[in-house]
Amino acid sequence: MKTRTKRSRKESEAEQASRKKKKVDCFASLHDDLLIDILQKLPADILRYKTRFVCKRWFSLITNRILFDHASLIIETSYGSRTVRLMDISEDKHGLTLKEQNLEIPYTGRIKSWCNEFLLITDLYKEGSLFIYDIIRKQGSFLPPCSTSCGGHYGCKCGVGLSYDKFKGVYKVVHAFLGPQIQCELLIFKGDIASCNSLKWKKISGPYYTGQRRYYWDDPVSVQGRYFHWDVHCSKYLVSMDTVKERFRQTCLPGSDVFPMNKRYSLVEMGGFLSLLHKVSVDKINVWMLKDYQRSKWEILQSINVSSHVWSSIYPGRVLPLPVTCVKGKRYIIFRKPGSETGLYSYDLENKIMRRLDVNIAPAERCVVRTTEAASFF
């Protein structure tokens, strides 16, 4: 009797294991596109911090096809459009891989900021109008009108940016503007954007130091979806903002007695850090990285020889390519060649090689870089 009971238990356990195995196999047989349709129905935070770490396949699909958590950028016309091109740049053992797709937006405007899955779009013709769009769920909503003292976001009197506060799980729209002194206001919303138009802006203290930008402002460089940095055309500091603490401050610039900081520098986000490319001479650029935001601690990453053939072949003379973004591994910097023969190039910091990317971009088109919180990879 006991033997029969044990045998029946074993058979039952074997059947249960077989059923579980069949269920897993059945789910694994789903086509990628169908699986993506299912996953896209989950909240973005669940996708980003939990679901994509279930297995390698899910990580690849969610990272590459839904969240675009590589060096992603959008190419749009300078005057804004409903159709934009989304470029996803990833690194593998053979170099860089590019994927391009068209992105339809149900609103004609100019993209000002891109954080996680949300685009912040402004209308060039309607003063103070801001539109928030979720590229995962393909949903959007107008935000309540902000202060129009800046002239409506299309001039050089204001800068807007979108950030993410991971501690409170909310997004923050930052609007810094001249009125006549620098002022700032915030709009806070959660992942659900359906009720955004009923929210209210709140005023916060703006920066007291503006360098040479007393009469105009600009959009910030965003790092980790939290820190904003404004180039204020000053040789001593940047104006920065911790959007979680909602505070402005001066961030001292790097430099030395041998290579004092001047106004010939460019800012770019690199692997979750702010990087600064400083032209110290006719043929040399120093690449600095802000390793500690709180203490304004910079470290020099590398020096680039500008006079080498890889640079002179891109743009002869003294005008340098402009940094656009950096691939996650901090090995490649993506540059854009200025002028009428514009193009995108990748510079390999390890092998010191510059290559043109197979991307068509017109002089009238602009690049919008995506920012996201630094996350672990599978």
Side-chain angles (χ1 to χ4, degrees), residues 268 270 277 287 323 325-326 331-335 345-347 349:
V268 65
M270 183 183 292
L277 279 68
V287 181
T325 186
C326 179
R331 174 176 171 177
Y332 296 92
I333 302 177
I334 307 301
F335 288 87
Y345 292 77
S346 68
Y347 182 76
L349 290 170

Side-chain angles (χ1 to χ4, degrees), residues 6 70 78 80 112 130 143 146 163 176-177 182 204 235-236 246-247 272 275 293-294 302 304 328 330:
K6 289 182 180 179
H70 290 300
S78 58
K112 300 287 282 184
L130 289 173
L143 300 181
C146 57
S163 68
F177 59 99
I182 295 294
I204 65 171
S235 60
K236 296 181 179 180
E246 300 178 5
R247 295 177 185 170
S275 294
Y293 172 82
Q294 303 300 333
Q302 190 176 113
I304 298 175
K328 288 287 183 182
K330 294 186 291 187

Side-chain angles (χ1 to χ4, degrees), residues 161-190:
L162 181 63
S163 68
Y164 179 66
D165 186 339
K166 68 175 182 178
F167 301 102
K168 295 181 180 179
V170 297
Y171 288 86
K172 297 180 179 180
V173 180
V174 178
H175 178 215
F177 59 99
L178 286 167
Q181 63 184 19
I182 295 294
Q183 300 182 40
C184 186
E185 55 188 0
L186 287 177
L187 186 75
I188 301 174
F189 68 94
K190 293 185 178 180

Side-chain angles (χ1 to χ4, degrees), residues 27-32 35 55-62:
F27 190 77
S29 65
L30 287 176
H31 190 273
D32 284 352
L35 179 57
C55 63
K56 290 184 178 180
R57 181 193 179 201
W58 285 28
F59 180 86
S60 177
L61 288 176
I62 294 172

Side-chain angles (χ1 to χ4, degrees), residues 1-11:
M1 188 69 176
K2 290 182 178 179
T3 304
R4 291 180 181 177
T5 304
K6 289 182 180 179
R7 187 182 300 170
S8 63
R9 285 179 179 174
K10 289 182 179 180
E11 290 176 354

Side-chain angles (χ1 to χ4, degrees), residues 254 270-271 273-276 287-292 297-301 330:
M270 183 183 292
F273 296 92
L274 179 70
S275 294
L276 181 148
V287 181
W288 292 85
M289 181 173 286
L290 182 60
K291 300 292 290 187
D292 189 333
K297 183 180 179 181
W298 296 82
E299 292 182 7
I300 190 164
L301 185 66
K330 294 186 291 187

